[in-house]
Structures are given as structure tokens and as C-alpha cells.
């Protein structure tokens, strides 16, 4: 009996773990590219903030 309770508990835990990972908030790919461009020095801080503002308004 305890064996089956443990098995069912593990299955429920696994399903919940999968659901929370799949619905976790993921960062916007456009924002990630913007951060990378800023880190490489391709855009200035002012441009970064302007573009980030535009991205946040469109989403």
C-alpha cells in the first residue's frame, strides 16, 4: 500500500514539475537580442533604453 502511495505521489510531483516549467515566464527573444547587442557595444545605453521602451509598449 505504501509503495503505491509513493508511486502515485512521484507521478503527481513529476506532472506538476513539468507543468510549472512549461508555463514559466520566458524572456522575450527580442529583449534578449537587444541585451546582447548592448553587451557587445553595438548600441549605446540611450538606444538600449529607447528600444527597450518600444518593446515593452508593443507587448
Amino acid at each position: 500500500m505504501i509503495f503505491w502511495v509513493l508511486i502515485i505521489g512521484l507521478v503527481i510531483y513529476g506532472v506538476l514539475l513539468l507543468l510549472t516549467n512549461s508555463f514559466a515566464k520566458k524572456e522575450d527573444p527580442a529583449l534578449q537580442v537587444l541585451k546582447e547587442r548592448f553587451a557587445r557595444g553595438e548600441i549605446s545605453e540611450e538606444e538600449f533604453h529607447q528600444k527597450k521602451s518600444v518593446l515593452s509598449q508593443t507587448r
Side-chain angles (χ1 to χ4, degrees):
M1 176 84 173
I2 294 175
F3 174 76
W4 289 111
V5 170
L6 287 174
I7 295 296
I8 292 171
L10 287 173
V11 169
I12 292 172
Y13 175 74
V15 168
L16 290 175
L17 189 63
L18 286 174
L19 288 176
T20 56
N21 283 343
S22 63
F23 291 116
K25 184 177 178 184
K26 297 184 174 109
E27 187 175 30
D28 181 14
L31 184 58
Q32 181 63 33
V33 170
L34 186 62
K35 287 179 179 179
E36 290 172 5
R37 289 185 64 201
F38 178 65
R40 288 192 298 259
E42 295 176 7
I43 59 174
S44 68
E45 185 175 356
E46 182 180 329
E47 286 178 295
F48 173 78
H49 289 297
Q50 287 173 342
K51 293 175 188 299
K52 184 178 176 184
S53 169
V54 170
L55 284 175
S56 64
Q57 290 173 0
T58 60
R59 305 245 171 216

